[in-house]
Amino acid sequence: MKTSNDFLTTLNDVFALFGAIEAKRMFGGYGLYHQGVMFGLVSGNELFLKTDDESAQTFIEQGLLPFEYSRDGGRVQLSYYAAPEVIFDDSEEAKEWAERAYEAALRSSSATRGK
């Protein structure tokens, strides 16, 4: 499924309280960036937010599913989970979930730099 520019434009509105975001094409989808840090990804018209060990449980408790794709006959799961639907109707919730994802991305980035 191809991502529509309308969906990406909508995300600018969804995350208006969070701040400026930028979408960059990658692997058939888009990475979502805030201040140069990737905090989300878009596949088709579905948004996934970055998680880590500290934040993933919040997504799991909401029944949100991880981003997965097929590779070499198996499934690969990334540290991104589906965004909750509430963020599309509640800008405060959108800001909170975006901040959670951004903080996870920063922690992941720091851990990678420390290796």
Side-chain angles (χ1 to χ4, degrees):
M1 173 188 284
K2 186 174 181 175
T3 302
S4 73
N5 288 333
D6 290 341
F7 183 69
L8 292 173
T9 300
T10 299
L11 294 179
N12 284 312
D13 296 335
V14 167
F15 293 123
L17 291 180
F18 173 61
I21 63 169
E22 181 181 6
K24 295 182 183 179
R25 195 171 243 322
M26 58 182 287
F27 307 114
Y30 293 86
L32 287 185
Y33 292 80
H34 175 68
Q35 297 180 352
V37 176
M38 186 172 158
F39 75 98
L41 64 87
V42 174
S43 178
N45 284 330
E46 193 169 359
L47 171 64
F48 296 86
L49 298 173
K50 177 72 173 157
T51 65
D52 64 1
D53 290 341
E54 194 172 316
S55 65
Q57 191 60 36
T58 303
F59 289 78
I60 294 167
E61 288 169 359
Q62 296 288 321
L64 301 168
L65 299 176
F67 177 77
E68 294 183 335
Y69 65 95
S70 297
R71 185 175 77 192
D72 299 330
R75 300 293 293 166
V76 176
Q77 180 177 318
L78 299 182
S79 58
Y80 291 82
Y81 276 73
E85 288 296 318
V86 68
I87 72 167
F88 296 100
D89 298 319
D90 185 330
S91 57
E92 289 292 334
E93 285 282 334
K95 180 182 178 197
E96 181 180 319
W97 284 89
E99 287 173 346
R100 182 177 291 122
Y102 182 70
E103 289 166 6
L106 288 175
R107 285 189 297 269
S108 295
S109 178
S110 294
T112 302
R113 281 194 304 263
K115 289 183 180 178

